Amino acid sequence: ALARLADCHGAGDQSRLWTTYAVLALKACYCQGELYSRAGLRQARFLTERAAADGNIDARAVDALYSVRLGEVENADRQLAELPPDHWRACQARALVYRLRGDRERAIAALDAAADFAPAAARSGVLNTLGNWLCHYRREEEAMDAYMAATEDNPLNAWAWQNVSLLHFDRREIEESRITNQRALGITEFQAARDLAKLLEHPPAA
């Protein structure tokens, strides 16, 4: 639907418009299962291809993200070799490539660079993702630092607050977990925070 909508708009900066819709499609597909994700990405791919044809660096970086998500890692390598090292979306794509190849340290470093170079509106989300990756690698202290940085950068990032709460819960720091989960719910209602709130009503013994 996003791809069709973008195709109907002909006025203004169409390259930027296609890139914006491509990013939205990427996020939408990420929320679906694997089958829907790949099918959706293939349908929306033409958006980045059109925008990239105009030389739009943002579009080229997003197209590299599409390549990684579709498993076209060698193609992503070629695309990323032509992009500047300080472009935040290119750093995101590089991080994904490293992660797919099992290179944890370079993956974390690249995602950390993406957070450094990201525009203000995107930085908190990148920091939250960095925290998720660090948690996956069992680096909880660093993950907490990333999540807290995400909340400081954007106090309305409900998902970062909830991730802070989950780390407190894992440490059996129940009161801190309850407070930070309530911060998340105070921003927006979502299932993960509601489920944690129920657990916190009858927390496990320390």
Side-chain angles (χ1 to χ4, degrees), residues 49-101:
E49 290 171 344
R50 287 188 182 183
D54 293 339
N56 184 311
I57 292 179
D58 282 342
R60 290 165 60 194
V62 173
D63 197 46
L65 283 169
Y66 270 73
S67 293
V68 179
R69 291 297 187 192
L70 288 168
E72 302 168 2
V73 180
E74 291 184 1
N75 186 45
D77 279 335
R78 288 191 292 271
Q79 293 170 301
L80 291 168
E82 299 175 355
L83 292 171
D86 59 352
H87 190 284
W88 74 283
R89 289 200 189 279
C91 290
Q92 278 187 310
R94 290 187 187 98
L96 287 167
V97 169
Y98 292 139
R99 191 179 189 192
L100 285 172
R101 290 176 172 155

Side-chain angles (χ1 to χ4, degrees), residues 161-162 164-165 168 176-184:
W161 280 115
Q162 208 255 336
V164 170
S165 180
H168 282 307
E176 291 88 345
S177 180
R178 184 178 289 112
I179 291 169
T180 47
N181 193 58
Q182 195 57 46
R183 286 288 298 267

Side-chain angles (χ1 to χ4, degrees), residues 60-180:
R60 290 165 60 194
V62 173
D63 197 46
L65 283 169
Y66 270 73
S67 293
V68 179
R69 291 297 187 192
L70 288 168
E72 302 168 2
V73 180
E74 291 184 1
N75 186 45
D77 279 335
R78 288 191 292 271
Q79 293 170 301
L80 291 168
E82 299 175 355
L83 292 171
D86 59 352
H87 190 284
W88 74 283
R89 289 200 189 279
C91 290
Q92 278 187 310
R94 290 187 187 98
L96 287 167
V97 169
Y98 292 139
R99 191 179 189 192
L100 285 172
R101 290 176 172 155
D103 192 337
R104 296 184 178 187
E105 292 305 319
R106 293 178 80 180
I108 292 299
L111 197 56
D112 195 30
D116 287 341
F117 296 131
R123 189 176 301 117
S124 182
V126 179
L127 286 166
N128 188 57
T129 300
L130 177 62
N132 291 340
W133 286 24
L134 288 164
C135 270
H136 180 74
Y137 295 144
R138 305 289 184 182
R139 293 161 60 170
E140 288 84 2
E141 290 298 326
E142 294 170 85
M144 179 65 88
D145 289 342
Y147 290 141
M148 290 306 299
T151 63
E152 290 165 10
D153 198 77
N154 177 13
L156 296 180
N157 188 335
W159 292 267
W161 280 115
Q162 208 255 336
N163 284 326
V164 170
S165 180
L166 284 170
L167 280 180
H168 282 307
F169 185 82
D170 288 344
R171 296 172 178 176
R172 297 299 186 263
E173 297 166 351
I174 301 304
E175 188 58 28
E176 291 88 345
S177 180
R178 184 178 289 112
I179 291 169
T180 47

